[in-house]
Amino acid sequence: MILLELFATLVIAYSFGFLYYGLYRNITARFQLRFGPPVYQSFMDSIKFFLKKDTTNHGWMFYLGPIIMMSGAIMTLFFIPLFTTGNDFKGLSEYGNLFLVLYLLVLGPLGNALAVGAGGNPFGAMGITRGLTRLFALEMPFYIAVIALMSLNSSADITTIASSQTTFNAFAYPLLFVGALFSFVGMMGQSPFDVVGAPVEVYSGPASEFSGKFLALLMSQSAIFTFAKLVLMVHLFLGGASGFVELTIKTFILFFFIIAFGAIYGRFKTPQSVDFLLKVPTAISVVGLLLATWSA
């Protein structure tokens, strides 16, 4: 039964991820006063790429990278429960907590770096360099906010943190939420922190050399990872969800805000991105941590 549940969770994440990616392309297009592709276009593209053959060979590490990224996305998803009530779709959350999830979040960028380093494409190398430069600054505000929530709830269990919210943590601890939200915008690859795959500057960055099945694998892991990160934010700051309807509404509201934020603001340069993340959201998270600890 647990294997069937994990497979169903993976299908749900895959479907929601590509649905949201299609909506992202359409909503962004509307912000820019143009028409976007059909909502299902990204899903159809991934299927088409899975059926294509690769024409290049950069060695085994180049192809192992996407597999590492996909493994990180799937394992992250499995250790995050979809619902905070009942016994359904808990995944492997009883065997791991937030510390493990935070560790798995880093697995994707590291797998990406290993693959792109073997490919030798200069655009990919520049994108990876930008991503690794930004990584520490991007995670700092988020980690501070998450550590604060674990301390306040005396638990690193995601379900415990989500179910203990009589008032959403986003409202009870607004500074922690704002600090984590800045990081989350970058984690979702949105402006002003989308320096890794900036199309105008580094073509498509780390994805430049990938094609065929491995490009489809990158698209699929991105869709799954997107859904997993949205669910995690909903559990940490928006009280979790007790069913699919509530989960869909909350994840979509959060997703729409991220899209709107990215569509409005222009892209930072890499040093500007790091400097801003280390100063503004990190300071906000630290102040939020101090106030939350003091009030508790």
Side-chain angles (χ1 to χ4, degrees):
M1 291 301 295
I2 185 65
L3 292 178
L4 290 175
E5 187 176 286
L6 291 177
F7 178 75
T9 301
L10 186 59
V11 171
I12 291 168
Y14 185 85
S15 304
F16 269 84
F18 273 109
L19 172 63
Y20 281 174
Y21 190 63
L23 291 174
Y24 155 72
R25 297 176 71 181
N26 274 265
I27 295 172
T28 302
R30 300 296 172 157
F31 273 107
Q32 298 171 352
L33 301 179
R34 59 182 177 85
F35 292 99
V39 173
Y40 56 81
Q41 186 63 54
S42 298
F43 173 76
M44 298 303 296
D45 288 342
S46 71
I47 299 299
K48 178 183 69 175
F49 290 140
F50 268 122
L51 299 176
K52 287 184 175 293
K53 294 182 178 180
D54 293 305
T55 58
T56 58
N57 187 349
H58 293 293
W60 64 272
M61 182 54 73
F62 183 77
Y63 299 117
L64 182 61
I67 297 174
I68 295 174
M69 295 173 66
M70 176 61 87
S71 301
I74 292 175
M75 293 309 297
T76 303
L77 173 70
F78 286 166
F79 282 100
I80 300 174
L82 293 190
F83 309 131
T84 52
T85 58
N87 296 316
D88 296 328
F89 292 101
K90 292 293 185 181
L92 303 175
S93 59
E94 62 180 301
Y95 303 106
N97 54 27
L98 264 175
F99 288 109
L100 178 60
V101 171
L102 293 178
Y103 172 80
L104 291 172
L105 287 174
V106 186
L107 196 58
L110 294 181
N112 204 8
L114 291 172
V116 173
N121 187 290
F123 292 119
M126 285 189 286
I128 287 298
T129 301
R130 289 175 169 205
L132 295 179
T133 301
R134 187 200 60 175
L135 185 61
F136 175 76
L138 184 68
E139 293 177 336
M140 181 65 72
F142 187 78
Y143 282 9
I144 293 173
V146 171
I147 289 171
L149 293 180
M150 289 192 289
S151 176
L152 291 166
N153 290 274
S154 300
S155 175
D157 180 65
I158 298 174
T159 303
T160 300
I161 294 174
S163 58
S164 63
Q165 298 177 49
T166 53
T167 303
F168 289 170
N169 285 334
F171 302 129
Y173 310 107
L175 294 181
L176 294 178
F177 178 63
V178 170
L181 195 60
F182 274 112
S183 288
F184 192 68
V185 171
M187 290 179 182
M188 297 289 283
Q190 294 296 306
S191 290
F193 311 116
D194 59 333
V195 297
V196 178
V200 179
E201 301 163 19
V202 290
Y203 189 48
S204 56
S208 299
E209 282 292 304
F210 289 101
S211 61
K213 297 178 178 60
F214 291 93
L215 180 58
L217 202 61
L218 288 179
M219 294 176 65
S220 300
Q221 74 85 26
S222 178
I224 294 170
F225 214 10
T226 293
F227 180 73
K229 288 183 284 189
L230 285 169
V231 174
L232 179 62
M233 280 291 287
V234 166
H235 288 338
L236 293 180
F237 292 100
L238 299 178
S242 58
F244 281 112
V245 175
E246 184 179 2
L247 184 67
T248 302
I249 292 173
K250 289 183 177 180
T251 53
F252 178 76
I253 291 173
L254 184 60
F255 185 69
F256 182 82
F257 174 82
I258 299 299
I259 294 174
F261 193 90
I264 293 171
Y265 290 97
R267 183 184 305 117
F268 281 155
K269 296 179 180 179
T270 305
Q272 291 175 323
S273 177
V274 173
D275 188 60
F276 179 84
L277 287 167
L278 285 177
K279 288 182 179 179
V280 179
T282 300
I284 292 174
S285 293
V286 169
V287 174
L289 171 63
L290 295 175
L291 289 177
T293 304
W294 178 76
S295 63

